[in-house]
Amino acid sequence: ALAGLLLTYVPEETAFWMMVRLMSDRKYACAGLYSPGFPELFKHMAMHDKLLYRHDKKLFKCLQQKNVQTAIYAFRWYQGRFYEFPKEFFIRVMDIFLLEGRKIIFRVAIYLLTSRRKEFFAADDEKALRIARDIRDDPYTKRAPNAAKLIEKALEVPITTHELEKVEKQYEESLKDGKR
């Protein structure tokens, strides 16, 4: 999806070198998303859990109690950078991603969940899972969300680069300690 998007806007050789940079630069951390065992992907999902816990403990606990596991809904978000969402939204996310790195991915993910907070609390286990899995649709109109509005709200999620680095370091230390 990412390569296809780049090829839409830049010549092949430029797209190639952009992909090399996306795969090798720590700011983007894309290489491990596709490596055997998906190490970066699992790190991002663990970081997602820590960030959700920090930003909305009650929602985090609600999702755990309802057996809504991060991998079930967020695997595609973190690996595909929201490619399955409407094209306009995906392009906006990727534009910000190219500018500031992976922080936008976490902001969007946390916003998507917190924006459905009331629904999660009111839902039974099965419905909560369905809400998380099908979150790309507007809950009221059942149509694609307004990309500009969604991005605006996601950018309000107060996740900093420092916080991301701290959470990432905690994850890496937990791997060394064998806690994961």
Side-chain angles (χ1 to χ4, degrees):
L2 186 51
L5 180 66
L6 293 175
L7 287 168
T8 303
Y9 294 99
V10 297
E12 281 182 40
E13 185 174 354
T14 304
F16 171 79
W17 290 113
M18 288 178 78
M19 285 300 295
V20 167
R21 177 81 187 265
L22 290 170
M23 294 297 160
S24 61
D25 191 321
R26 189 170 182 268
K27 176 180 177 180
Y28 305 108
C30 288
L33 296 174
Y34 310 103
S35 300
F38 306 107
E40 197 69 29
L41 181 58
F42 284 105
K43 178 180 12 177
H44 284 181
M45 288 191 292
M47 290 170 65
H48 166 92
D49 285 345
K50 285 196 178 292
L51 290 166
L52 181 59
Y53 182 81
R54 285 178 171 203
H55 290 271
D56 195 334
K57 286 181 178 119
K58 289 182 181 178
L59 179 58
F60 175 81
K61 289 177 181 178
C62 170
L63 293 174
Q64 282 199 322
Q65 289 170 348
K66 295 177 189 257
N67 295 312
V68 179
Q69 298 172 0
T70 305
I72 294 171
Y73 64 87
F75 189 94
R76 295 184 329 247
W77 296 354
Y78 287 101
Q79 188 176 47
R81 306 302 200 218
F82 299 100
Y83 74 88
E84 80 277 6
F85 279 64
K87 185 178 180 183
E88 179 188 356
F89 178 72
F90 174 61
I91 291 169
R92 297 282 308 269
V93 168
M94 293 314 304
D95 187 39
I96 298 167
F97 175 72
L98 292 172
L99 178 66
E100 69 176 30
R102 61 194 172 151
K103 182 170 50 173
I104 187 64
I105 307 303
F106 291 100
R107 285 175 153 177
V108 169
I110 299 302
Y111 173 72
L112 286 172
L113 294 173
T114 57
S115 71
R116 305 295 200 288
R117 191 175 200 279
K118 289 180 185 176
E119 292 173 67
F120 283 121
F121 279 102
D124 61 24
D125 292 12
E126 188 177 322
K127 185 169 183 180
L129 180 60
R130 229 179 8 257
I131 292 166
R133 224 185 30 234
D134 300 333
I135 209 161
R136 69 179 160 258
D137 296 327
D138 184 288
Y140 307 106
T141 64
K142 300 296 182 204
R143 286 186 249 140
N146 176 303
K149 184 178 176 184
L150 209 155
I151 291 290
E152 180 183 323
K153 293 291 186 183
L155 288 171
E156 292 174 7
V157 175
I159 294 174
T160 64
T161 302
H162 175 72
E163 183 180 20
L164 274 182
E165 290 169 352
K166 186 176 178 180
V167 169
E168 181 175 30
K169 185 177 180 182
Q170 289 171 344
Y171 173 78
E172 290 170 355
E173 287 172 359
S174 74
L175 286 181
K176 290 176 187 173
D177 297 340
K179 293 178 186 173
R180 194 170 197 196

